[in-house]
Amino acid sequence: MQELEILLARSRSITDVSHYHSQSNTDPLDLIALKCELRSQVPSRGCCQQKVKNIDKVLIANRGEIACRVIRSAKKLGIKTVAVYSEADQNSLHVAMADEAFLVGPAPSQQSYLQKDKIIEIAKISGAQAIHPGYGFLSENTEFAQLCEEKGMAFIGPPATAIRDMGIKSTSKYIMAAAGVPVIQGYHGEDQSDAVLKAEAEKIGYPVMIKAVRGGGGKGMRIAMSPEEFETQLDSARREAVKSFGDDVMLIERFVQRPRHVEVQVFGDKYGNCVYLFERDCSVQRRHQKIIEEAPAPGLSMETRRQLGEAAVKAAKAVNYVGAGTVEFIYDSKTGEFFFMEMNTRLQVEHPITEMVTGTDLVEWQLKIAAGERLPMLQDQITLTGHAFEARIYAEDPAGGFLPGAGPLRYLNTPPSASDVRIETGVRQGDEVSVHYDPMIAKLVVWGDDRSSALRKLRSRLSEYNISGLSTNINFLLDLSAHPSFTSADVHTDFIPEHYNTLFPTKVVSDELLCKAAVSLILEEQAAARQAQLQTADPFSPFISHPGFAVNMLLSRRIELKIGETAYTVEVQHKPDGSFFVVLPSGKDCHVKAQLHRQGNVTHLKAEISGHISQSTVLVTDSGVTLFEEDGSHTFCLPELKYMAEKSKALMSEGDAVAPMPGVVEKLLVSEGQYVKAGDPLVVLIAMKMEYVIRAPKDGLVKQILYNPGASVGKNKPLVHFEE
């Protein structure tokens, strides 16, 4: 017991446990087991003397959709809200929704949303009594939680000790093992030398997972399939971890192939109560980041569900957890075994699906518990009803390796919200998806009586989520949610790589789509001409444009359209009755009757093509036409003017290294005059907080480096110019 008292008197980090172990013969697991037992016997600090603290103003130390989400729940409770914003976010939605807002710094998050002292200062100036960190940024920062407490500010999250114990993955593994929660084999030691980490990987056996101990959201995480790629993956994980968390300490674990990612939502209060609100399945991921989630996890028995929930509560109680948290497990569908992976000591991105199946408002719970109230519900009062899905809509290019994008949302039309359909977003039409932050545009959340009805609703609402101006993953989400293996709930974390060919099929452009695209362009021209005629001083002038009109003949037009690199020529003949005779590239001809109908900023096309009537949403711009159909969006581009094409070609030499996505140059790995071989690393690019290495497309001599570190670069812009 004396050893335990010494341990408890010191910082509870694993560093102290390992250090103490090196000076005694006591197993650190035994010490932590005693520590967990003592915690279960001693109430939380002041838990018997808690009193409700008045919170009438809260500062949200975040941005985007989570800031908007917190503001909505706070307003429902009559709590005033204070937003912080970077220079890039001055006109953002969360700033407009908040009661007041303060500039926190320049666009880079290190200079704005990660400025702990500045955020505390703003909270004091504004009169806020509490700070909600959202997720990401400072939400799992031990020092920030401690600073809030020192400054007399309520941190809407767990105690700093819980964040520290569970945030450092090596510490959490020891604590979970001591608390009786199943853990997976791995190395969580202090010696971080390359040689030791590689030796431990050999002991565990490949493939191995390399993880930042302070990691989360897929950042600072790499998989090494063999010893040959271990060091490269280790270096990459370390660099990304330093950028994201300011810490490059790694742990090595056995990588379980084809596992499911099942996580449990837990909630604790300051009186020792802790409950679970059932589980979510987040197995389908890209770049180790979730893309579609569902609750409850399909295919689990009620007994397994109970065991997972109880294990998660045991994990939370081991660290005296308060507030919203998520305990993540690796689940083996074949054996039914599950292993603790990590605990996220914050509200999760996917929390809305838990709210949908339990009828709760978890942000409201957070605010009440931070004020010292008890849990609104105990375990036997929490019920599971129906099924919910969340699809994350990102600005990214799925076919291009899910590379993130950035740019303006020139057109945005969403499905209507309802009790069974939620749209969680922080952007509006015209807003910019910034290169400095996560590329998520929105979360589409749906509920149904069962999985099949919820999945059907998800696909329907995804087809109604219409975006133009930048690439998104909506078409991919539609294909994914319709995949036979997904509909049958055969999901795992390797789902996308395993089904890559069927998820990214070569799509054939139908004759009907070509007809609609060509006719939409003509109808839009006619509508614009009529509008011009109404606005002119001489509506009967012969110089007014009349598309489709020709003297003594039926006008015929050739319309050039492109999808990707494929060009199509469609011939359209105007008929006297206003209909069209269309000849397609396949040689097929169609008789088309069509009309446009505008409703706000949305244009609907009703078309009858050879007797078949259908309706679409359509967007015509100077550069082309986009049709929004049940199976997704289809964008047809008009040919680029010859002089513009020649200008673009002159700006780029064949074989130059280009930026595959918008980003910021982080590091130059070559210099001018250096000879490189194809595949050699040239530039490290940071996009949406992720690191990408740009490699040489060919052997050659570096003639010119076009950007310096810190410079912003657009998509497809040359980075390194080679000697011809």
Side-chain angles (χ1 to χ4, degrees):
M1 184 58 70
Q2 184 180 8
E3 290 178 336
L4 175 63
E5 290 172 355
I6 293 172
L7 176 62
L8 293 176
R10 302 175 57 158
S11 168
R12 294 185 175 94
S13 70
I14 195 61
T15 301
D16 288 326
V17 174
S18 301
H19 176 72
Y20 185 76
H21 174 59
S22 67
Q23 300 176 24
S24 70
N25 295 321
T26 307
D27 189 330
L29 286 181
D30 293 336
L31 292 176
I32 296 177
L34 286 169
K35 174 175 149 185
C36 293
E37 182 180 348
L38 185 64
R39 281 176 169 175
S40 66
Q41 296 172 1
V42 180
S44 302
R45 180 174 50 189
C47 74
C48 298
Q49 300 144 5
Q50 293 293 333
K51 60 181 180 180
V52 176
K53 178 181 179 180
N54 184 42
I55 296 178
D56 54 33
K57 183 180 282 192
V58 61
L59 181 143
I60 300 104
N62 217 298
R63 64 177 302 278
E65 63 87 15
I66 184 57
C68 297
R69 168 73 184 88
V70 174
I71 290 170
R72 285 196 298 273
S73 285
K75 287 189 173 182
K76 189 167 67 173
L77 295 174
I79 297 173
K80 297 289 184 182
T81 56
V82 181
V84 292
Y85 65 92
S86 70
E87 291 173 355
D89 281 339
Q90 182 173 357
N91 299 314
S92 63
L93 182 58
H94 79 281
V95 173
M97 288 179 62
D99 294 296
E100 52 186 313
F102 292 81
L103 176 66
V104 72
S109 56
Q110 294 92 338
Q111 302 173 45
S112 52
Y113 297 106
L114 293 174
Q115 290 289 310
K116 298 186 283 289
D117 292 333
K118 184 70 177 291
I119 289 172
I120 293 284
E121 180 186 350
I122 290 172
K124 289 287 187 182
I125 292 171
S126 68
Q129 299 97 0
I131 295 179
H132 195 302
Y135 50 70
F137 294 137
L138 296 170
S139 61
E140 294 180 282
N141 188 291
T142 304
E143 293 78 12
F144 183 65
Q146 188 66 45
L147 188 61
C148 288
E149 184 178 345
E150 291 171 1
K151 299 296 183 180
M153 195 75 56
F155 177 76
I156 302 179
T161 52
I163 298 175
R164 180 183 62 207
D165 287 350
M166 299 305 272
I168 300 176
K169 289 181 173 57
S170 52
T171 305
S172 66
K173 299 289 184 179
Y174 278 105
I175 294 174
M176 292 304 99
V181 179
V183 296
I184 202 162
Q185 178 188 1
Y187 173 74
H188 317 118
E190 285 187 79
D191 192 333
Q192 290 287 304
S193 66
D194 291 8
V196 167
L197 292 178
K198 190 169 185 178
E200 292 294 334
E202 293 280 359
K203 290 179 186 177
I204 295 167
Y206 288 91
V208 296
M209 176 76 79
I210 305 169
K211 283 186 186 178
V213 297
R214 292 182 182 268
K219 296 178 178 65
M221 182 187 297
R222 296 290 186 273
I223 297 169
M225 300 300 294
S226 65
E228 289 73 27
E229 59 183 56
F230 180 82
E231 291 179 6
T232 300
Q233 299 288 49
L234 175 62
D235 289 343
S236 181
R238 280 173 169 164
R239 284 195 302 269
E240 195 168 89
V242 169
K243 284 292 170 190
S244 300
F245 317 109
D247 192 327
D248 67 353
V249 177
M250 295 286 145
L251 61 83
I252 313 295
E253 289 182 341
R254 176 170 65 95
F255 178 62
V256 180
Q257 300 192 62
R258 298 187 90 252
R260 285 174 63 181
H261 176 127
V262 178
E263 61 186 35
V264 179
Q265 178 72 60
V266 294
F267 233 104
D269 64 19
K270 298 176 182 178
Y271 302 87
N273 301 307
C274 189
V275 297
Y276 64 89
L277 290 93
F278 303 103
E279 80 289 344
R280 304 181 285 253
D281 192 300
C282 310
S283 298
V284 180
Q285 304 176 11
R286 88 283 186 267
R287 299 200 310 267
H288 306 298
Q289 290 182 308
K290 303 160 191 172
I291 191 172
I292 192 166
E293 303 100 342
E294 58 183 301
L300 299 190
S301 67
M302 289 305 297
E303 176 62 18
T304 300
R305 184 163 286 133
R306 181 189 63 78
Q307 290 175 1
L308 277 165
E310 290 178 355
V313 168
K314 190 184 294 184
K317 284 189 172 183
V319 291
N320 284 341
Y321 201 83
V322 174
T326 297
V327 183
E328 299 187 344
F329 295 96
I330 293 172
Y331 179 78
D332 189 331
S333 297
K334 293 181 180 178
T335 65
E337 292 178 291
F338 58 87
F339 304 96
F340 173 82
M341 184 163 51
E342 64 183 15
M343 183 175 189
N344 291 312
T345 54
R346 54 172 166 82
L347 196 67
Q348 288 279 82
V349 176
E350 58 273 18
H351 75 272
I353 53 175
T354 293
E355 294 178 324
M356 295 291 257
V357 296
T358 58
T360 56
D361 183 333
L362 298 185
V363 175
E364 184 178 319
W365 280 33
Q366 284 187 300
L367 293 166
K368 288 182 175 181
I369 286 169
E373 296 186 28
R374 293 180 180 273
L375 281 172
M377 302 169 74
L378 296 179
Q379 194 63 61
D380 59 358
Q381 298 172 302
I382 301 170
T383 57
L384 180 64
T385 305
H387 204 95
F389 281 96
E390 174 182 281
R392 302 191 191 189
I393 297 173
Y394 283 100
E396 65 182 13
D397 179 12
F402 296 96
L403 292 177
L409 285 164
R410 294 194 175 94
Y411 177 80
L412 176 62
N413 179 42
T414 68
S417 296
S419 60
D420 57 352
V421 178
R422 284 170 56 174
I423 297 170
E424 302 284 346
T425 186
V427 294
R428 302 152 295 189
Q429 181 170 296
D431 285 351
E432 186 96 6
V433 177
S434 173
V435 69
H436 295 285
Y437 312 114
D438 190 87
M440 189 167 69
I441 296 170
K443 302 180 305 195
L444 176 63
V445 186
V446 301
W447 179 92
D449 290 327
D450 51 35
R451 189 176 190 270
S452 60
S453 63
L455 187 54
R456 187 166 55 249
K457 193 174 299 180
L458 176 69
R459 290 196 291 266
S460 174
R461 298 305 180 267
L462 277 169
S463 69
E464 297 172 9
Y465 214 111
N466 304 154
I467 294 174
S468 180
L470 71 175
S471 297
T472 75
N473 66 337
I474 292 176
N475 284 7
F476 174 75
L477 289 169
L478 280 163
D479 292 338
L480 170 63
S481 58
H483 194 280
S485 294
F486 188 84
T487 57
S488 64
D490 181 17
V491 294
H492 51 84
T493 57
D494 290 325
F495 187 92
I496 293 175
E498 183 175 300
H499 299 290
Y500 187 88
N501 290 335
T502 50
L503 287 171
F504 294 95
T506 301
K507 294 189 176 182
V508 178
V509 178
S510 69
D511 288 340
E512 185 170 295
L513 277 175
L514 285 169
C515 276
K516 288 182 179 181
V519 169
S520 294
L521 286 166
I522 293 172
L523 291 174
E524 188 67 33
E525 282 182 8
Q526 292 176 344
R530 286 192 297 270
Q531 186 65 27
Q533 187 174 9
L534 292 173
Q535 293 175 352
T536 184
D538 182 8
F540 302 104
S541 168
F543 300 105
I544 294 290
S545 173
H546 293 279
F549 173 78
V551 179
N552 298 326
M553 65 177 292
L554 296 177
L555 180 65
S556 183
R557 297 176 56 183
R558 290 168 59 89
I559 297 177
E560 302 287 337
L561 298 169
K562 285 184 69 177
I563 281 191
E565 297 302 316
T566 306
Y568 302 90
T569 301
V570 181
E571 293 188 15
V572 181
Q573 188 179 76
H574 296 250
K575 307 287 283 185
D577 62 355
S579 63
F580 305 94
F581 183 76
V582 181
V583 180
L584 297 159
S586 62
K588 180 180 179 181
D589 55 66
C590 304
H591 181 232
V592 181
K593 295 179 181 178
Q595 60 184 22
L596 296 178
H597 169 65
R598 302 192 195 284
Q599 189 174 5
N601 74 325
V602 181
T603 301
H604 301 284
L605 171 72
K606 183 177 181 180
E608 179 185 337
I609 303 174
S610 299
H612 177 238
I613 299 174
S614 63
Q615 297 194 49
S616 308
T617 300
V618 61
L619 176 68
V620 177
T621 65
D622 292 339
S623 59
V625 56
T626 299
L627 294 166
F628 298 101
E629 304 279 332
E630 284 187 7
D631 64 344
S633 61
H634 307 268
T635 298
F636 295 85
C637 297
L638 294 172
E640 190 176 19
L641 295 175
K642 186 177 180 181
Y643 83 93
M644 289 296 292
E646 290 174 350
K647 182 178 178 182
S648 298
K649 188 175 181 180
L651 291 174
M652 188 189 308
S653 299
E654 186 177 351
D656 280 351
V658 301
M661 84 293 278
V664 176
V665 175
E666 171 69 12
K667 187 178 181 181
L668 299 176
L669 304 176
V670 293
S671 56
E672 293 178 358
Q674 181 177 338
Y675 184 82
V676 297
K677 292 186 176 181
D680 284 353
L682 304 175
V683 178
V684 176
L685 199 66
I686 298 292
M688 313 296 184
K689 300 187 289 184
M690 300 290 281
E691 179 186 285
Y692 300 89
V693 178
I694 311 302
R695 299 182 181 275
K698 63 178 183 179
D699 295 356
L701 189 70
V702 175
K703 181 179 181 181
Q704 185 181 11
I705 296 173
L706 301 168
Y707 293 90
N708 292 320
S712 296
V713 58
K715 182 178 180 180
N716 293 330
K717 295 296 182 182
L719 295 169
V720 178
H721 177 51
F722 289 92
E723 189 77 53
E724 290 298 328

Short mmCIF file of all heavy atoms in Angstrom, two decimals, residues 629-657:
data_model
loop_
_atom_site.label_atom_id
_atom_site.label_comp_id
_atom_site.label_asym_id
_atom_site.label_seq_id
_atom_site.Cartn_x
_atom_site.Cartn_y
_atom_site.Cartn_z
N GLU A 629 -29.03 12.83 -60.39
CA GLU A 629 -29.94 11.71 -60.58
C GLU A 629 -29.97 10.83 -59.33
O GLU A 629 -29.24 11.07 -58.37
CB GLU A 629 -29.48 10.88 -61.78
CG GLU A 629 -29.35 11.67 -63.09
CD GLU A 629 -30.68 11.87 -63.78
OE1 GLU A 629 -31.59 11.03 -63.61
OE2 GLU A 629 -30.82 12.87 -64.50
N GLU A 630 -30.78 9.79 -59.36
CA GLU A 630 -30.88 8.88 -58.22
C GLU A 630 -29.56 8.18 -57.94
O GLU A 630 -29.26 7.85 -56.79
CB GLU A 630 -31.97 7.83 -58.46
CG GLU A 630 -33.39 8.36 -58.30
CD GLU A 630 -34.43 7.26 -58.37
OE1 GLU A 630 -34.02 6.07 -58.40
OE2 GLU A 630 -35.62 7.57 -58.38
N ASP A 631 -28.76 7.95 -58.99
CA ASP A 631 -27.49 7.25 -58.80
C ASP A 631 -26.33 8.22 -58.58
O ASP A 631 -25.17 7.80 -58.58
CB ASP A 631 -27.19 6.33 -59.98
CG ASP A 631 -27.00 7.10 -61.29
OD1 ASP A 631 -27.39 8.29 -61.35
OD2 ASP A 631 -26.46 6.52 -62.24
N GLY A 632 -26.61 9.52 -58.44
CA GLY A 632 -25.56 10.50 -58.17
C GLY A 632 -25.54 11.62 -59.19
O GLY A 632 -26.46 11.77 -60.00
N SER A 633 -24.47 12.39 -59.15
CA SER A 633 -24.35 13.53 -60.06
C SER A 633 -23.49 13.17 -61.27
O SER A 633 -22.58 12.35 -61.19
CB SER A 633 -23.73 14.73 -59.34
OG SER A 633 -22.43 14.42 -58.88
N HIS A 634 -23.80 13.82 -62.40
CA HIS A 634 -23.08 13.59 -63.65
C HIS A 634 -22.77 14.95 -64.26
O HIS A 634 -23.71 15.67 -64.65
CB HIS A 634 -23.92 12.75 -64.61
CG HIS A 634 -24.42 11.47 -64.02
ND1 HIS A 634 -23.74 10.28 -64.13
CD2 HIS A 634 -25.53 11.19 -63.28
CE1 HIS A 634 -24.40 9.33 -63.51
NE2 HIS A 634 -25.50 9.86 -62.98
N THR A 635 -21.51 15.31 -64.32
CA THR A 635 -21.11 16.62 -64.82
C THR A 635 -20.52 16.50 -66.21
O THR A 635 -19.54 15.77 -66.43
CB THR A 635 -20.09 17.28 -63.87
OG1 THR A 635 -20.70 17.47 -62.59
CG2 THR A 635 -19.65 18.63 -64.42
N PHE A 636 -21.13 17.21 -67.15
CA PHE A 636 -20.66 17.26 -68.53
C PHE A 636 -20.02 18.63 -68.74
O PHE A 636 -20.64 19.67 -68.47
CB PHE A 636 -21.82 17.09 -69.52
CG PHE A 636 -22.48 15.74 -69.47
CD1 PHE A 636 -23.48 15.48 -68.55
CD2 PHE A 636 -22.09 14.74 -70.35
CE1 PHE A 636 -24.10 14.24 -68.51
CE2 PHE A 636 -22.70 13.50 -70.31
CZ PHE A 636 -23.70 13.24 -69.38
N CYS A 637 -18.81 18.64 -69.22
CA CYS A 637 -18.08 19.89 -69.45
C CYS A 637 -18.17 20.28 -70.92
O CYS A 637 -18.17 19.42 -71.81
CB CYS A 637 -16.61 19.75 -69.05
SG CYS A 637 -16.38 19.41 -67.30
N LEU A 638 -18.20 21.58 -71.16
CA LEU A 638 -18.12 22.09 -72.52
C LEU A 638 -16.65 22.15 -72.93
O LEU A 638 -15.77 22.31 -72.07
CB LEU A 638 -18.75 23.48 -72.60
CG LEU A 638 -20.27 23.51 -72.34
CD1 LEU A 638 -20.76 24.95 -72.24
CD2 LEU A 638 -21.02 22.77 -73.43
N PRO A 639 -16.34 22.03 -74.21
CA PRO A 639 -14.93 22.05 -74.64
C PRO A 639 -14.25 23.36 -74.24
O PRO A 639 -14.86 24.43 -74.29
CB PRO A 639 -15.02 21.92 -76.17
CG PRO A 639 -16.38 21.38 -76.44
CD PRO A 639 -17.27 21.88 -75.35
N GLU A 640 -12.99 23.25 -73.83
CA GLU A 640 -12.21 24.43 -73.50
C GLU A 640 -11.83 25.16 -74.78
O GLU A 640 -11.48 24.54 -75.78
CB GLU A 640 -10.94 24.01 -72.75
CG GLU A 640 -10.17 25.18 -72.15
CD GLU A 640 -8.97 24.70 -71.33
OE1 GLU A 640 -8.54 23.54 -71.53
OE2 GLU A 640 -8.47 25.47 -70.52
N LEU A 641 -11.95 26.50 -74.75
CA LEU A 641 -11.57 27.28 -75.92
C LEU A 641 -10.12 26.98 -76.30
O LEU A 641 -9.26 26.81 -75.42
CB LEU A 641 -11.76 28.77 -75.64
CG LEU A 641 -13.22 29.21 -75.41
CD1 LEU A 641 -13.25 30.69 -75.01
CD2 LEU A 641 -14.06 28.97 -76.64
N LYS A 642 -9.83 26.95 -77.59
CA LYS A 642 -8.52 26.52 -78.08
C LYS A 642 -7.39 27.35 -77.48
O LYS A 642 -6.37 26.81 -77.03
CB LYS A 642 -8.48 26.60 -79.60
CG LYS A 642 -7.20 26.04 -80.20
CD LYS A 642 -7.24 26.06 -81.72
CE LYS A 642 -5.95 25.51 -82.30
NZ LYS A 642 -5.95 25.54 -83.78
N TYR A 643 -7.57 28.68 -77.42
CA TYR A 643 -6.46 29.51 -76.92
C TYR A 643 -6.23 29.30 -75.44
O TYR A 643 -5.11 29.39 -74.93
CB TYR A 643 -6.71 30.99 -77.25
CG TYR A 643 -7.60 31.71 -76.27
CD1 TYR A 643 -7.07 32.41 -75.19
CD2 TYR A 643 -8.99 31.71 -76.42
CE1 TYR A 643 -7.88 33.07 -74.30
CE2 TYR A 643 -9.80 32.37 -75.54
CZ TYR A 643 -9.25 33.06 -74.47
OH TYR A 643 -10.06 33.70 -73.58
N MET A 644 -7.32 28.96 -74.68
CA MET A 644 -7.16 28.68 -73.25
C MET A 644 -6.44 27.35 -73.04
O MET A 644 -5.61 27.22 -72.15
CB MET A 644 -8.53 28.65 -72.58
CG MET A 644 -9.20 30.01 -72.47
SD MET A 644 -8.27 31.15 -71.40
CE MET A 644 -8.49 30.37 -69.81
N ALA A 645 -6.75 26.37 -73.86
CA ALA A 645 -6.09 25.07 -73.75
C ALA A 645 -4.60 25.20 -74.04
O ALA A 645 -3.76 24.59 -73.36
CB ALA A 645 -6.73 24.08 -74.71
N GLU A 646 -4.25 25.99 -75.06
CA GLU A 646 -2.84 26.19 -75.40
C GLU A 646 -2.11 26.93 -74.28
O GLU A 646 -0.96 26.64 -73.97
CB GLU A 646 -2.73 26.96 -76.71
CG GLU A 646 -3.17 26.14 -77.92
CD GLU A 646 -3.19 26.97 -79.20
OE1 GLU A 646 -3.06 28.21 -79.08
OE2 GLU A 646 -3.34 26.38 -80.29
N LYS A 647 -2.81 27.87 -73.64
CA LYS A 647 -2.20 28.61 -72.53
C LYS A 647 -1.92 27.69 -71.35
O LYS A 647 -0.85 27.74 -70.73
CB LYS A 647 -3.13 29.75 -72.10
CG LYS A 647 -2.58 30.62 -70.99
CD LYS A 647 -3.56 31.75 -70.66
CE LYS A 647 -3.02 32.60 -69.51
NZ LYS A 647 -3.96 33.69 -69.14
N SER A 648 -2.87 26.81 -71.03
CA SER A 648 -2.69 25.87 -69.92
C SER A 648 -1.53 24.93 -70.19
O SER A 648 -0.72 24.63 -69.30
CB SER A 648 -3.98 25.06 -69.70
OG SER A 648 -5.04 25.90 -69.34
N LYS A 649 -1.43 24.46 -71.44
CA LYS A 649 -0.35 23.53 -71.80
C LYS A 649 1.01 24.19 -71.69
O LYS A 649 1.99 23.58 -71.28
CB LYS A 649 -0.59 23.01 -73.21
CG LYS A 649 0.36 21.89 -73.62
CD LYS A 649 0.00 21.34 -74.98
CE LYS A 649 0.94 20.21 -75.36
NZ LYS A 649 0.61 19.65 -76.69
N ALA A 650 1.06 25.50 -72.05
CA ALA A 650 2.33 26.22 -72.00
C ALA A 650 2.84 26.40 -70.58
O ALA A 650 4.04 26.53 -70.34
CB ALA A 650 2.18 27.58 -72.68
N LEU A 651 1.90 26.39 -69.60
CA LEU A 651 2.30 26.61 -68.20
C LEU A 651 2.92 25.36 -67.57
O LEU A 651 3.54 25.44 -66.53
CB LEU A 651 1.08 27.04 -67.38
CG LEU A 651 0.52 28.43 -67.70
CD1 LEU A 651 -0.77 28.67 -66.91
CD2 LEU A 651 1.54 29.52 -67.39
N MET A 652 2.75 24.22 -68.20
CA MET A 652 3.23 22.97 -67.60
C MET A 652 3.97 22.13 -68.62
O MET A 652 3.43 21.84 -69.69
CB MET A 652 2.05 22.17 -67.03
CG MET A 652 2.48 20.96 -66.22
SD MET A 652 1.08 19.89 -65.77
CE MET A 652 -0.04 21.05 -65.04
N SER A 653 5.17 21.77 -68.29
CA SER A 653 5.92 20.87 -69.15
C SER A 653 5.51 19.44 -68.85
O SER A 653 5.14 19.10 -67.72
CB SER A 653 7.43 21.03 -68.90
OG SER A 653 7.84 22.35 -69.20
N GLU A 654 5.59 18.58 -69.86
CA GLU A 654 5.23 17.19 -69.65
C GLU A 654 6.18 16.54 -68.66
O GLU A 654 7.38 16.63 -68.78
CB GLU A 654 5.29 16.46 -71.00
CG GLU A 654 4.77 15.03 -70.91
CD GLU A 654 4.77 14.35 -72.26
OE1 GLU A 654 5.00 15.03 -73.27
OE2 GLU A 654 4.53 13.13 -72.29
N GLY A 655 5.59 15.91 -67.63
CA GLY A 655 6.40 15.22 -66.64
C GLY A 655 6.74 16.04 -65.43
O GLY A 655 7.44 15.56 -64.52
N ASP A 656 6.30 17.31 -65.35
CA ASP A 656 6.53 18.09 -64.13
C ASP A 656 5.78 17.47 -62.96
O ASP A 656 4.72 16.85 -63.14
CB ASP A 656 6.06 19.54 -64.33
CG ASP A 656 7.07 20.38 -65.10
OD1 ASP A 656 8.19 19.89 -65.32
OD2 ASP A 656 6.73 21.51 -65.48
N ALA A 657 6.30 17.65 -61.75
CA ALA A 657 5.61 17.19 -60.55
C ALA A 657 4.56 18.22 -60.18
O ALA A 657 4.86 19.41 -60.03
CB ALA A 657 6.61 17.02 -59.40
#
